Amino acid sequence: RLCSSWRSRGIVPAHRPIEKELSGIMDGLEAKRRLVSTFAGAVFGMGWLIFIDQIVHFNSCLDRVTDGDPCQWGKPPHNFTVTGSESIPHSALSFHDDASQLFLANWDPLNPFDVAAASTPAPPPPHGGWHDISGRYKLVYLPGCLALISIFFVNTVEARHLTTEAEWISGGATVALRIWMFFGLLVGLGACVLAVWVHVDLFARHEDIQDDPGIAGVIQVLLLMISSLLFWIARSIGTESELSDPFL
């Protein structure tokens, strides 16, 4: 009471300059936090845009490969990574007569006298022989989904939650939150490994499919992981401010 009366009389200086300085510091931290979050969001969106653009471009070129071939894919080379159960390229056959190869390829043992059917050429392969994104190639969509799960796990934990010794934080113990974040990092690492494997073993290894979607999948996951790190750094800036937005 005595200090307040002295402060009112001007004997003890008020702390308004200190409060203004602290307010300016917190505003600066909040501005940095929002700036880093904006940049993280841009990196996140860039990763998805690159992947979606390459998928759309791939499908567009595939649909028009026999109609002018605007993407200049040309004819697919023979894929020599086939297994024993797949067909052997015609170049590996010992026959040199095209007519004989055509007859033997279309000859039906159950109807050996149907010469007309045996001499009819087979229909051309779809898309000029190029393979579409089907079967195992659909795994190219999985790494991005795993990266999204990793971003959710990592960014639900703040830096101060990993160092505080309080018994309960946001409904969970400190050790549980560390395990939660470790699992998110593990999922993100798995997404990166899976993206590289899909590109190397499925797209780059086989010559009957363009490898642009595989490359785009690797770039997408790397950008998503970078954005996750930036989001987490942004959430650790100015976390002590009561005015900060917890959902930013």
Side-chain angles (χ1 to χ4, degrees):
R1 183 179 302 177
L2 182 61
C3 291
S4 61
S5 63
W6 285 354
R7 188 179 297 109
S8 62
R9 296 177 183 178
I11 300 176
V12 177
H15 297 285
R16 290 181 179 178
I18 298 179
E19 294 177 356
K20 290 183 178 179
E21 184 178 356
L22 291 176
S23 177
I25 293 175
M26 297 309 300
D27 291 341
L29 291 175
E30 186 67 18
K32 292 180 180 179
R33 184 168 178 255
R34 293 183 180 275
L35 180 62
V36 176
S37 298
T38 302
F39 183 71
V43 175
F44 177 87
M46 188 182 303
W48 278 104
L49 285 177
I50 290 176
F51 180 75
I52 294 175
D53 176 73
Q54 287 300 319
I55 294 297
V56 173
H57 179 73
F58 175 87
N59 291 327
S60 177
C61 294
L62 184 67
D63 293 337
R64 296 183 295 173
V65 69
T66 57
D67 186 16
D69 193 11
C71 301
Q72 298 181 356
W73 283 8
K75 294 182 179 180
H78 289 301
N79 187 359
F80 292 102
T81 59
V82 296
T83 60
S85 60
E86 299 182 57
S87 61
I88 303 175
H90 289 286
S91 58
L93 298 176
S94 59
F95 302 100
H96 300 284
D97 187 5
D98 295 338
S100 300
Q101 294 183 33
L102 178 62
F103 181 83
L104 292 176
N106 297 297
W107 182 65
D108 186 6
L110 299 178
N111 193 7
F113 300 103
D114 192 358
V115 181
S119 303
T120 303
H127 308 298
W130 291 102
H131 205 290
D132 58 351
I133 302 179
S134 60
R136 294 176 54 186
Y137 294 113
K138 290 183 179 180
L139 289 175
V140 72
Y141 301 109
L142 184 57
C145 298
L146 292 178
L148 284 179
I149 297 176
S150 174
I151 291 176
F152 169 76
F153 273 85
V154 171
N155 286 277
T156 51
V157 180
E158 295 184 4
R160 60 190 179 94
H161 292 170
L162 303 176
T163 57
T164 184
E165 298 298 332
E167 294 183 358
W168 295 96
I169 304 172
S170 302
T174 305
V175 177
L177 292 177
R178 291 175 180 175
I179 296 175
W180 177 277
M181 185 171 182
F182 175 76
F183 179 76
L185 294 175
L186 195 63
V187 173
L189 178 61
C192 294
V193 174
L194 180 60
V196 174
W197 175 80
V198 167
H199 168 62
V200 173
D201 192 66
L202 297 183
F203 286 89
R205 182 169 173 262
H206 295 82
E207 298 181 353
D208 59 348
I209 188 171
Q210 294 289 330
D211 59 351
D212 294 340
I215 297 175
V218 175
I219 296 176
Q220 176 201 26
V221 172
L222 291 179
L223 291 179
L224 291 184
M225 291 297 98
I226 293 174
S227 68
S228 178
L229 177 62
L230 292 176
F231 275 127
W232 192 79
I233 293 175
R235 289 175 59 83
S236 65
I237 299 175
T239 53
E240 300 298 330
S241 175
E242 296 180 357
L243 299 179
S244 61
D245 185 6
F247 298 101
L248 181 60

